[in-house]
Amino acid sequence: MSKPIRKAVMPVAGLGTRVLPGAKTVAKELLNVVDRPIIAYAVAEARAAGIEHIVMVTGRGKQALEDYFDHHIELEAQLAAKGKTELLAEILADLPKAGEMSFVRQMRPLGLGHAVWCARDLIGDEPFAVILPDMLMAAERPALAQAVDAYDKVGGNIIVVEPVAEEDTHRYGVVALEGGRENYAGRGAPTRMQAMVEKPAQGTAPSNLIVSGRYILQPEIFDLLSAQEAGAGGEVQLTDSMVKLMATQDFHALEYDGVTYDCGDKIGLLRANVAFALMRPDLGAEARSAVEALLRA
Ligand code: UTP
């Protein structure tokens, strides 16, 4: 039996250069999708997967992120006094229970691998999940829960992936499957991996399955990250240490059933706002009329 996945790391210390200048003062993870910050969706997803403790890796200027997960006494009192009980309940539902969430600082944004490494003492010697909150995933069964289902079947390390058009693979981390593309087991079925390539040159990608922002990793990754030198873009890359770990441990790729919105990108954030508004029972019809009117104009 594999050890259960109890903890999740959420790296939120990136500079968010693709959504500047706004990200200069408002962490991109606090940008709203409809009416709640991106990070709140990630926390809900982690909870739905049975995660008991979340470690946020934050950075300078991201204090508001911690405040979102704390009581706002004055606001709560005002809402209660005005009888806005539904809204109050919604706000309180996003709060963690005491001790369920930890925050650690990545003092310099040295890369995703370095951010995950900053959580090492809080994770300890057990397998854990990583959620990149800006990759917002809409799925009937939440994406991380699908990854945990796969982990319960095959153990080891799981990389959530999704297919993209062949000509777009050069922009992402791409997985190579054991035995090549013809061994691909299909969506929902974990397929053994052989390697991962960061941004392969056009026409050289080993598959069209890209790494999409949810991982289940074994704690041995931390030793490799400790020694990991800067790679692509001068940053400590999580991918480089995962590739090393593949020499001694099993990795499976899992294509999840859902849709990803890259909220770290202007158009991705726009798409997420439109799609999530359209999906909302209380807003969907109005959102549709608004979008249709804009397109007609
Ligand atoms: P991104 O690749 O989106 O980088 O990081 P970024 O800096 O946030 O944004 P851009 O590309 O400049 O616009 C992927 C995830 O890793 C975190 C980010 O916060 C994001 O959740 N990250 C990245 C860190 O926590 N620390 C880092 O040093 C780099």
Side-chain angles (χ1 to χ4, degrees):
M1 255 276 290
S2 306
K3 278 195 191 172
I5 307 299
R6 301 186 316 116
K7 299 182 184 176
V9 177
M10 295 190 190
V12 291
L15 294 178
T17 52
R18 288 170 294 152
V19 284
L20 278 171
K24 181 178 160 193
T25 48
V26 180
K28 70 173 168 181
E29 298 80 8
L30 284 179
L31 296 174
N32 266 9
V33 167
V34 189
D35 55 6
R36 50 174 25 82
I38 293 162
I39 192 71
Y41 292 92
V43 168
E45 183 186 328
R47 284 187 171 152
I51 296 297
E52 297 165 13
H53 193 105
I54 292 172
V55 180
M56 301 249 178
V57 183
T58 70
R60 222 175 357 267
K62 304 240 176 182
Q63 292 89 334
L65 230 144
E66 292 188 37
D67 292 341
Y68 186 80
F69 294 103
D70 196 359
H71 284 287
H72 187 319
I73 305 294
E74 196 185 340
L75 174 69
E76 290 167 15
Q78 287 278 347
L79 292 175
K82 290 188 171 148
K84 303 204 169 200
T85 45
E86 263 183 47
L87 191 52
L88 178 58
E90 216 182 305
I91 287 171
L92 294 178
D94 274 358
L95 297 189
K97 293 199 190 75
E100 261 183 1
M101 200 176 270
S102 303
F103 298 86
V104 63
R105 284 273 185 129
Q106 184 191 24
M107 292 148 76
R108 287 196 291 154
L110 298 178
L112 174 59
H114 182 263
V116 171
W117 180 73
C118 287
R120 66 198 179 282
D121 284 347
L122 291 161
I123 297 296
D125 188 24
E126 58 180 283
F128 62 101
V130 177
I131 290 186
L132 305 189
D134 51 351
M135 301 302 277
L136 181 55
M137 294 184 173
E140 211 161 290
R141 180 153 175 73
L144 188 64
Q146 295 183 40
V148 171
D149 293 344
Y151 170 82
D152 288 341
K153 279 190 208 135
V154 296
N157 300 269
I158 306 284
I159 310 290
V160 172
V161 299
E162 61 187 279
V164 296
E166 209 68 54
E167 59 271 21
D168 290 335
T169 48
H170 68 282
R171 296 199 277 132
Y172 302 96
V174 179
V175 306
L177 303 170
E178 202 172 273
R181 295 177 189 225
E182 43 297 351
N183 267 11
Y184 183 45
R187 184 192 286 172
T191 305
R192 210 181 263 267
M193 281 171 59
Q194 189 182 45
M196 248 185 286
V197 198
E198 206 46 66
K199 300 187 174 66
Q202 285 276 16
T204 66
S207 76
N208 69 334
L209 298 172
I210 62 154
V211 177
S212 62
R214 304 291 183 270
Y215 313 76
I216 288 176
L217 296 171
Q218 296 297 320
E220 287 76 17
I221 194 80
F222 290 123
D223 286 340
L224 295 164
L225 286 170
S226 299
Q228 188 63 57
E229 296 189 346
E235 297 195 342
V236 177
Q237 298 288 350
L238 182 61
T239 305
D240 293 342
S241 286
M242 290 194 293
V243 167
K244 285 183 193 152
L245 191 55
M246 261 175 228
T248 53
Q249 291 192 5
D250 277 352
F251 272 73
H252 284 82
L254 175 79
E255 181 186 338
Y256 85 109
D257 189 5
V259 181
T260 306
Y261 300 90
D262 182 359
C263 296
D265 168 85
K266 294 174 190 60
I267 300 299
L269 183 62
L270 175 68
R271 285 181 64 235
N273 267 292
V274 174
F276 276 68
L278 290 172
M279 277 187 275
R280 283 265 296 256
D282 58 335
L283 293 174
E286 214 182 321
R288 181 168 299 280
S289 319
V291 171
E292 284 171 354
L294 275 175
L295 292 174
R296 274 197 307 272

